[in-house]
Amino acid sequence: MDLRLDRLATLYLALPLTRRASGREFSFPILMYHSVSEEDESRSHAYFRTCTSRALFAEQMSHLHSHGYSACNLAQALDDLGSGRPLATKPVVITFDDGYTDFYRQAFPVLRQYGFSATVFLPTAYIGERPLQFKGRDCLTWAEVRELSEHGIVFGSHTVNHPQLHELRAAEIKEEIVSSKRTIEDRIGSAVDSFAYPFAFPQNDAAFQSMLRDLLRTAGYRNGVCTIVGRGSRHSDPFFLERLPVNSWDDARLFEAKLAGAYDWIATPQRLVKMAKSRAIHLW
Ligand SMILES: [Zn+2]
C-alpha cells in the first residue's frame, strides 16, 4: 500500500487549521477528473493516478448533492466570485480532461441522476467520427459530444494535439488554441469559452503565462483551468484556475477535506518542485 503523506498531512494537519479559518473568504472547488473506469493504476503513485471507479465517482456525486453543492460551469462560478453577494448554493465545477468515452458511458449517467452539469475538455485531434485512442483509451466521438452538449454538458478546448505548449513557438500555440476552439464550435453549434492547459502548468514562468493569457483572450476564451492544486478564489487567474485532482484513491474523508480547502497546501511543494526542476534543466 502506498504511503500517502499528502493524505495524512491533509487530514491531520491542514484540515483542523482550515476549519478554524473557514468562512473568511469565498472560494470554490473545481474538481479535475480524467477517466471514470476500473483501470488498475497500482504501478504509479496515487498522487499521479487519473482513473476514478464508477462506484467511487457515484459516491462523490452523492456527497456533493447531499451537502448542498450545485454543479455549474466556470463562467457561472467566476460570476459568483466577482459579484461579492452571498451565495444561495455552494458552487462546484466538475471537469474532465482528455475526452475519454467512459465519460459518456460511466460518468454522465451518474451526473444526470443528480442534475449536475460538467465541463469536458477535448483534445480535438483525438475526437473523430469513430472512437480514436488517446493514451491507450477510447475517446468520445463527435456524435457523443453533440448528444452530451444537447443534455447540458459543456465542452472546452484541451488543444488539438495535447502538446507541451511550453515547448512550442507562439504561432504554434496560437494554432493549437484557435483551431481546437473553432472545431468544437462547428460541431456543437455553440461558443467555447473555456480552456484546459495540457500537462503540468509552468507556473513559475510569468512571461509564458502572460503570452498564453493574451493568446487565449484574443482567441475569444473567457476562462480556463490548469493543474495547479487548490480552489478558485479572487486571487486566481481566471485563465489558469486551480483545480483539485481526484482519483480512485480519494476516500470519502480525503474528498471532503479537499472540498473544504485542506488540500490547498499542496500548491506550495508543487511550486517548489517545479522550480527545482526548471533550475536543474538550466544548470545541466
Ligand atoms: Zn490532458
Side-chain angles (χ1 to χ4, degrees):
M1 189 168 127
D2 286 310
L3 177 62
R4 289 262 346 224
L5 291 176
D6 60 331
R7 180 181 187 277
L8 294 176
T10 297
L11 293 181
Y12 300 105
L13 296 175
L15 188 57
L17 294 172
T18 310
R19 286 204 174 121
R20 210 171 298 162
S22 70
R24 213 176 282 167
E25 193 168 313
F26 170 66
S27 52
F28 62 92
I30 306 173
L31 302 176
M32 175 174 69
Y33 291 94
H34 284 78
S35 170
V36 175
S37 60
E38 315 302 317
E39 224 167 281
D40 175 23
E41 294 186 289
S42 52
R43 279 156 152 230
S44 53
H45 187 274
Y47 179 78
F48 297 103
R49 294 179 197 167
T50 53
C51 296
T52 309
S53 74
R54 176 169 169 148
L56 192 62
F57 180 71
E59 260 176 48
Q60 292 167 350
M61 295 305 107
S62 164
H63 176 95
L64 294 176
H65 185 256
S66 63
H67 286 75
Y69 282 93
S70 68
C72 62
N73 63 36
L74 290 169
Q76 290 162 337
L78 286 167
D79 282 351
D80 281 348
L81 194 64
S83 74
R85 30 169 217 268
L87 302 175
T89 55
K90 295 193 277 185
V92 60
V93 184
I94 307 167
T95 70
F96 292 80
D97 284 13
D98 300 345
Y100 296 125
T101 196
D102 55 53
F103 175 82
Y104 181 85
R105 292 170 218 294
Q106 307 297 339
F108 178 59
V110 177
L111 291 165
R112 212 173 170 185
Q113 195 182 327
Y114 294 107
F116 284 168
S117 178
T119 303
V120 181
F121 294 102
L122 303 176
T124 52
Y126 299 93
I127 311 300
E129 300 306 330
R130 294 173 182 284
L132 302 173
Q133 286 212 325
F134 178 63
K135 293 185 181 170
R137 291 186 201 112
D138 278 357
C139 291
L140 292 161
T141 63
W142 285 117
E144 289 166 339
V145 168
R146 263 192 303 276
E147 187 186 333
L148 290 165
S149 170
E150 282 160 14
H151 284 90
I153 298 301
V154 176
F155 288 92
S157 161
H158 199 33
T159 72
V160 178
N161 298 296
H162 203 286
Q164 292 276 8
L165 286 179
H166 197 220
E167 292 167 8
L168 300 186
R169 285 175 295 138
E172 295 168 315
I173 299 172
K174 186 178 169 191
E175 175 61 21
E176 287 282 340
I177 63 181
V178 169
S179 165
S180 53
K181 183 178 193 295
R182 197 183 306 136
T183 302
I184 303 169
E185 287 174 343
D186 286 349
R187 294 289 187 154
I188 64 173
S190 55
V192 166
D193 292 336
S194 306
F195 178 79
Y197 189 89
F199 296 114
F201 186 64
Q203 64 198 99
N204 298 310
D205 189 339
F208 174 80
Q209 282 176 41
S210 164
M211 183 262 287
L212 182 59
R213 192 184 301 109
D214 286 348
L215 287 175
L216 288 167
R217 202 176 277 143
T218 308
Y221 289 95
R222 293 174 63 202
N223 51 53
V225 291
C226 68
T227 52
I228 300 175
V229 173
R231 292 167 308 156
S233 74
R234 66 186 177 84
H235 305 293
S236 302
D237 185 320
F239 286 98
F240 309 125
L241 288 159
E242 300 87 344
R243 288 190 287 180
L244 296 168
V246 188
N247 63 35
S248 277
W249 229 94
D250 287 281
D251 56 86
R253 285 182 70 199
L254 184 55
F255 184 70
E256 204 171 326
K258 284 183 173 182
L259 291 169
Y263 201 64
D264 295 4
W265 66 273
I266 284 279
T268 301
Q270 188 187 31
R271 189 175 62 244
L272 295 175
V273 167
K274 278 186 199 164
M275 209 181 280
K277 275 188 187 162
S278 70
R279 290 231 172 104
I281 289 165
H282 287 127
L283 282 173
W284 298 100

